Amino acid sequence: MEKTLNRIHPVSDPEATYFLQVSWEKDFGTGFGLLLSDCQCAWTGTVSEADISREAADMEMDREKYVEELRKALIAGEESAGKYNFVIS
């Protein structure tokens, strides 16, 4: 299993710091787990392969392109800093 941990500052609360851990098996496109923490509370969730396919279809986006954009937004870290925004709700 592979994992990444990134510090994020959501646009919904730029003064706050959250930590986002993403974990996945061999292929990110088959689904992944998420853990979000503000160092006081933590939230977990999973995204299935079906969820990814459904969201790509809803956005009328090629599935492989959608998976690549997810990868950049969630695990690319510093190389994507400033390109993607997070909103915590």
Side-chain angles (χ1 to χ4, degrees), residues 9-30:
H9 300 280
V11 295
S12 55
D13 187 4
E15 299 300 314
T17 299
Y18 288 82
F19 294 91
L20 178 64
Q21 178 181 292
V22 181
S23 57
W24 67 99
E25 292 298 330
K26 299 171 189 166
D27 179 9
F28 191 76
T30 61

Side-chain angles (χ1 to χ4, degrees), residues 21-86:
Q21 178 181 292
V22 181
S23 57
W24 67 99
E25 292 298 330
K26 299 171 189 166
D27 179 9
F28 191 76
T30 61
F32 52 91
L34 298 168
L35 184 137
L36 180 68
S37 178
D38 64 0
C39 295
Q40 293 182 27
C41 297
W43 303 269
T44 63
T46 58
V47 177
S48 70
E49 185 171 8
D51 294 331
I52 293 169
S53 294
R54 187 173 31 258
E55 186 67 20
D58 287 350
M59 296 181 71
E60 298 179 354
M61 193 173 192
D62 175 71
R63 186 182 185 287
E64 294 306 313
K65 174 75 172 154
Y66 182 74
V67 168
E68 186 56 32
E69 289 299 317
L70 272 178
R71 182 188 329 273
K72 288 177 187 175
L74 297 176
I75 65 175
E78 294 299 316
E79 78 182 54
S80 292
K83 184 174 180 182
Y84 297 95
N85 294 315
F86 294 90

